[in-house]
Amino acid sequence: MDNLGVLSLVALAPIVVVGILLVGFRWPAKYAMPLGFVVVVLSAAYVWEVEPVVIAASSIEGLILACGLLYIVFGALLLLGTLAGSGALASIRATFTDISPDRRVQAIIIGWLFGSFIEGASGFGTPAAVVAPLLLALGFPAMAAVMVGLTIQSTPVTFGAVGTPILVGVNDGLSGSQEVQQRVSVLGLELPDYIARIALDAAVVHAIVGTLIPLLLACMLTGFFGGRGWRGFADGLKVWRFALFAALAMTVPYVLVAALLGPEFPALLGGLVGLAVVVTAARRGLFLPATPWQFPPRQEWQPRWTGTVRPDAEVAGRRMHPGRAWAPYLLVAVLLVLTRAVQPVQEFLTGLSVDFDGILGTEIGESLQPFYLPGFILIVASVAAYGLHRMNPTQIAASWRVAGRQLAGAAVALLFALPLVRIFINSGENAAGYESMPLTLADGAASVAGGAWPLFAPWIGALGAFVAGSNTVSNLMFSLFQFSTAENIGVAPEAVVAGQAVGGAAGNMITVHNVVAASATVGLLGREGDLIRKTIFPMIYYCLAGGVLVYVLAS
């Protein structure tokens, strides 16, 4: 089977199966992912001729990664349960109501700005796991809360976790290539400078495309959850001045930081500066819409909007000082920055790892860093809240019990999703002599696109992120492929690699295990397909607009 088109279709089969079951038939992920896993195992074994031991080792690697993701989800659930039980969520809700009762404004401030800051500090899908339960606590429908948390997983992601998708994904993906080194020499640069140039190109594309994300988010919120059908989308446009102001308050410093300081801090500092500027302006009533927008009364909500977690019902009437209520979230932010931006602290925590080298005698390995993963920081913040909020043993025990029970629902889907991903990626280790499944798909797309490839570059990045659940892994897989394809058609390769990074960020909006993880934090498991049906629209916009800009930059 040497035909590239046929191989591409076979490689696409696991993704198509999962997509049809989730989005087309609205199956819960806990049923769709096991079937997708079976398809990828059959493709790997009988077409790519991957040895059974490699398939088994890849599955074990995926299970290890799934444990790390479940650890993060548990931390988010525990913090939510802790703040609900202590009464802090009532005060947090009052803080945002004092700024504006408008749900569109709250979604932009918490999702776009606070979420961008958390993404810049942490990555790992943490923003959605933090933003979704916080919005749920403010009275958002569970599905609306997760939709917001996923939609903002776009512009800041390329510079998430203090620049990891660029510094690890793109840098390691291009390192060691002779053709990359020749390009760097022709431009008179060193490789770190060349990577910084790619990062700046990505930041410019993100800033232009991302400036419309808050407005698009507001329209999605009112259109999907306004109770007026398609007419509701117009209600989102009424917040256009505030949405564009909030967008620019983040994207302008974001690009400046990328140009002046490099790829570590654009999302972190852009989100932080934007948060300070926008909250100050909102408190003074600047750019706010004349009429606040609210969700319909709860009794009119569709059953599919709601989950099993109702923290807003648990804290009615309970209040504490806003500073004390917000302290756990502030502690999360401080610890994330400290552990990511202070190198000695980062090196110490990452050194405390549990390593799984040579799984089943193969070259496949994985490690977990339990004290570096965001899950540990979320648990630390929860424990700190026990003392800060003067919780009694009964309340503390309840928070752990509820978090554990809610976590169990996410486990099945993730314990199949991550092994599927690792088999897909590791399929390059085969006896058939084929490229891995992701590279086969990319080769097939490139053969069809020809000279128009820059238009398609972000889509390959999004494909990698959808499959792997990571902008970093997508960049590792495809950066060199994108570079080589650009050189072959005679366009600027750095612009095309930047398009890869932009698309890799956009793909996070629909990646299955991000959707599952965020849904678990609000008790919305089983409706992953409904969420992907919504977040696929901003993802398509992002890749289309990003592709056009990359085409212009690369020409």
PDB file of all heavy atoms in Angstrom, residues 453-466:
ATOM      1  N   TRP A 453       0.396  26.239  -0.368  1.00  0.00           N
ATOM      2  CA  TRP A 453       0.581  25.616   0.929  1.00  0.00           C
ATOM      3  C   TRP A 453       0.454  26.553   2.124  1.00  0.00           C
ATOM      4  O   TRP A 453      -0.135  26.177   3.143  1.00  0.00           O
ATOM      5  CB  TRP A 453       1.918  24.871   0.991  1.00  0.00           C
ATOM      6  CG  TRP A 453       2.140  24.262   2.341  1.00  0.00           C
ATOM      7  CD1 TRP A 453       3.009  24.657   3.298  1.00  0.00           C
ATOM      8  CD2 TRP A 453       1.403  23.172   2.907  1.00  0.00           C
ATOM      9  NE1 TRP A 453       2.885  23.890   4.426  1.00  0.00           N
ATOM     10  CE2 TRP A 453       1.904  22.967   4.207  1.00  0.00           C
ATOM     11  CE3 TRP A 453       0.372  22.355   2.435  1.00  0.00           C
ATOM     12  CZ2 TRP A 453       1.406  21.979   5.040  1.00  0.00           C
ATOM     13  CZ3 TRP A 453      -0.129  21.375   3.269  1.00  0.00           C
ATOM     14  CH2 TRP A 453       0.394  21.185   4.560  1.00  0.00           C
ATOM     15  N   PRO A 454       1.006  27.792   2.092  1.00  0.00           N
ATOM     16  CA  PRO A 454       0.888  28.662   3.279  1.00  0.00           C
ATOM     17  C   PRO A 454      -0.549  28.842   3.764  1.00  0.00           C
ATOM     18  O   PRO A 454      -0.778  29.036   4.964  1.00  0.00           O
ATOM     19  CB  PRO A 454       1.497  29.983   2.805  1.00  0.00           C
ATOM     20  CG  PRO A 454       2.493  29.575   1.779  1.00  0.00           C
ATOM     21  CD  PRO A 454       1.854  28.416   1.053  1.00  0.00           C
ATOM     22  N   LEU A 455      -1.507  28.761   2.841  1.00  0.00           N
ATOM     23  CA  LEU A 455      -2.906  28.868   3.252  1.00  0.00           C
ATOM     24  C   LEU A 455      -3.325  27.701   4.134  1.00  0.00           C
ATOM     25  O   LEU A 455      -4.214  27.828   4.987  1.00  0.00           O
ATOM     26  CB  LEU A 455      -3.820  28.916   2.022  1.00  0.00           C
ATOM     27  CG  LEU A 455      -3.784  30.181   1.169  1.00  0.00           C
ATOM     28  CD1 LEU A 455      -4.536  29.942  -0.132  1.00  0.00           C
ATOM     29  CD2 LEU A 455      -4.373  31.367   1.915  1.00  0.00           C
ATOM     30  N   PHE A 456      -2.672  26.561   3.943  1.00  0.00           N
ATOM     31  CA  PHE A 456      -3.058  25.337   4.636  1.00  0.00           C
ATOM     32  C   PHE A 456      -2.192  25.046   5.865  1.00  0.00           C
ATOM     33  O   PHE A 456      -2.530  24.162   6.655  1.00  0.00           O
ATOM     34  CB  PHE A 456      -2.992  24.145   3.673  1.00  0.00           C
ATOM     35  CG  PHE A 456      -3.979  24.218   2.552  1.00  0.00           C
ATOM     36  CD1 PHE A 456      -3.651  24.868   1.374  1.00  0.00           C
ATOM     37  CD2 PHE A 456      -5.242  23.659   2.675  1.00  0.00           C
ATOM     38  CE1 PHE A 456      -4.568  24.946   0.328  1.00  0.00           C
ATOM     39  CE2 PHE A 456      -6.154  23.733   1.643  1.00  0.00           C
ATOM     40  CZ  PHE A 456      -5.819  24.386   0.457  1.00  0.00           C
ATOM     41  N   ALA A 457      -1.078  25.773   6.002  1.00  0.00           N
ATOM     42  CA  ALA A 457      -0.148  25.484   7.100  1.00  0.00           C
ATOM     43  C   ALA A 457      -0.827  25.481   8.471  1.00  0.00           C
ATOM     44  O   ALA A 457      -0.587  24.580   9.289  1.00  0.00           O
ATOM     45  CB  ALA A 457       1.018  26.462   7.069  1.00  0.00           C
ATOM     46  N   PRO A 458      -1.679  26.482   8.788  1.00  0.00           N
ATOM     47  CA  PRO A 458      -2.329  26.449  10.114  1.00  0.00           C
ATOM     48  C   PRO A 458      -3.223  25.231  10.332  1.00  0.00           C
ATOM     49  O   PRO A 458      -3.375  24.765  11.460  1.00  0.00           O
ATOM     50  CB  PRO A 458      -3.147  27.750  10.144  1.00  0.00           C
ATOM     51  CG  PRO A 458      -2.471  28.650   9.167  1.00  0.00           C
ATOM     52  CD  PRO A 458      -1.993  27.735   8.078  1.00  0.00           C
ATOM     53  N   TRP A 459      -3.801  24.691   9.247  1.00  0.00           N
ATOM     54  CA  TRP A 459      -4.683  23.538   9.392  1.00  0.00           C
ATOM     55  C   TRP A 459      -3.909  22.303   9.839  1.00  0.00           C
ATOM     56  O   TRP A 459      -4.432  21.483  10.608  1.00  0.00           O
ATOM     57  CB  TRP A 459      -5.418  23.258   8.083  1.00  0.00           C
ATOM     58  CG  TRP A 459      -6.374  24.336   7.710  1.00  0.00           C
ATOM     59  CD1 TRP A 459      -6.133  25.415   6.912  1.00  0.00           C
ATOM     60  CD2 TRP A 459      -7.729  24.478   8.163  1.00  0.00           C
ATOM     61  NE1 TRP A 459      -7.246  26.210   6.821  1.00  0.00           N
ATOM     62  CE2 TRP A 459      -8.242  25.661   7.568  1.00  0.00           C
ATOM     63  CE3 TRP A 459      -8.553  23.721   8.989  1.00  0.00           C
ATOM     64  CZ2 TRP A 459      -9.548  26.098   7.791  1.00  0.00           C
ATOM     65  CZ3 TRP A 459      -9.852  24.153   9.208  1.00  0.00           C
ATOM     66  CH2 TRP A 459     -10.342  25.328   8.614  1.00  0.00           C
ATOM     67  N   ILE A 460      -2.665  22.164   9.349  1.00  0.00           N
ATOM     68  CA  ILE A 460      -1.841  21.038   9.790  1.00  0.00           C
ATOM     69  C   ILE A 460      -1.483  21.203  11.270  1.00  0.00           C
ATOM     70  O   ILE A 460      -1.492  20.245  12.047  1.00  0.00           O
ATOM     71  CB  ILE A 460      -0.571  20.926   8.929  1.00  0.00           C
ATOM     72  CG1 ILE A 460      -0.960  20.568   7.488  1.00  0.00           C
ATOM     73  CG2 ILE A 460       0.395  19.895   9.500  1.00  0.00           C
ATOM     74  CD1 ILE A 460      -1.677  19.238   7.348  1.00  0.00           C
ATOM     75  N   GLY A 461      -1.172  22.446  11.671  1.00  0.00           N
ATOM     76  CA  GLY A 461      -0.920  22.702  13.089  1.00  0.00           C
ATOM     77  C   GLY A 461      -2.123  22.357  13.939  1.00  0.00           C
ATOM     78  O   GLY A 461      -1.996  21.743  15.006  1.00  0.00           O
ATOM     79  N   ALA A 462      -3.319  22.722  13.450  1.00  0.00           N
ATOM     80  CA  ALA A 462      -4.548  22.423  14.192  1.00  0.00           C
ATOM     81  C   ALA A 462      -4.803  20.924  14.253  1.00  0.00           C
ATOM     82  O   ALA A 462      -5.245  20.394  15.280  1.00  0.00           O
ATOM     83  CB  ALA A 462      -5.730  23.130  13.543  1.00  0.00           C
ATOM     84  N   LEU A 463      -4.516  20.216  13.148  1.00  0.00           N
ATOM     85  CA  LEU A 463      -4.661  18.761  13.140  1.00  0.00           C
ATOM     86  C   LEU A 463      -3.763  18.123  14.202  1.00  0.00           C
ATOM     87  O   LEU A 463      -4.200  17.262  14.966  1.00  0.00           O
ATOM     88  CB  LEU A 463      -4.305  18.202  11.766  1.00  0.00           C
ATOM     89  CG  LEU A 463      -4.208  16.673  11.664  1.00  0.00           C
ATOM     90  CD1 LEU A 463      -5.589  16.043  11.828  1.00  0.00           C
ATOM     91  CD2 LEU A 463      -3.579  16.255  10.340  1.00  0.00           C
ATOM     92  N   GLY A 464      -2.512  18.591  14.257  1.00  0.00           N
ATOM     93  CA  GLY A 464      -1.583  18.046  15.249  1.00  0.00           C
ATOM     94  C   GLY A 464      -2.061  18.292  16.663  1.00  0.00           C
ATOM     95  O   GLY A 464      -1.976  17.406  17.522  1.00  0.00           O
ATOM     96  N   ALA A 465      -2.579  19.489  16.918  1.00  0.00           N
ATOM     97  CA  ALA A 465      -3.061  19.807  18.262  1.00  0.00           C
ATOM     98  C   ALA A 465      -4.336  19.045  18.585  1.00  0.00           C
ATOM     99  O   ALA A 465      -4.539  18.608  19.721  1.00  0.00           O
ATOM    100  CB  ALA A 465      -3.294  21.306  18.389  1.00  0.00           C
ATOM    101  N   PHE A 466      -5.214  18.874  17.595  1.00  0.00           N
ATOM    102  CA  PHE A 466      -6.447  18.129  17.826  1.00  0.00           C
ATOM    103  C   PHE A 466      -6.136  16.695  18.243  1.00  0.00           C
ATOM    104  O   PHE A 466      -6.743  16.148  19.157  1.00  0.00           O
ATOM    105  CB  PHE A 466      -7.303  18.126  16.561  1.00  0.00           C
ATOM    106  CG  PHE A 466      -8.510  17.232  16.642  1.00  0.00           C
ATOM    107  CD1 PHE A 466      -9.616  17.608  17.397  1.00  0.00           C
ATOM    108  CD2 PHE A 466      -8.546  16.014  15.977  1.00  0.00           C
ATOM    109  CE1 PHE A 466     -10.732  16.782  17.487  1.00  0.00           C
ATOM    110  CE2 PHE A 466      -9.655  15.182  16.061  1.00  0.00           C
ATOM    111  CZ  PHE A 466     -10.750  15.571  16.816  1.00  0.00           C
TER     112      PHE A 466
END
